[in-house]
Amino acid sequence: MQNFRLNSTISKSWIPENQTKKLTGLIEWCKIVHACIESGQIDDAKIFLEQAIHEAEMPSRE
């Protein structure tokens, strides 16, 4: 799973800045969750994942 990468085929210039910031934030949450899982801190990973989902579901400010 460590070699798993997602590469967007959409140019960043096509994504509004506020959406780019939101995606960047979600990527950071994913890194935190991944690190928790790798270190065996499953309960912490669940908490951080819930926070990431909450932020992802929040409407964007445009």
Side-chain angles (χ1 to χ4, degrees):
M1 187 73 161
Q2 288 178 324
N3 294 329
F4 182 71
R5 296 283 185 257
L6 290 176
N7 296 314
S8 174
T9 58
I10 300 172
S11 170
K12 285 187 179 182
S13 63
W14 288 88
I15 302 173
E17 185 177 341
N18 60 340
Q19 291 295 322
T20 301
K21 287 180 183 178
K22 191 171 192 174
L23 288 172
T24 301
L26 291 174
I27 289 169
E28 291 304 314
W29 280 115
C30 289
K31 290 177 182 178
I32 293 168
V33 170
H34 182 262
C36 288
I37 291 170
E38 288 290 311
S39 66
Q41 298 173 325
I42 304 304
D43 290 334
D44 289 340
K46 289 178 184 179
I47 292 168
F48 290 125
L49 184 56
E50 286 177 16
Q51 183 63 34
I53 291 169
H54 175 73
E55 284 191 23
E57 291 176 337
M58 289 176 51
S60 298
R61 290 181 222 131
E62 291 189 38

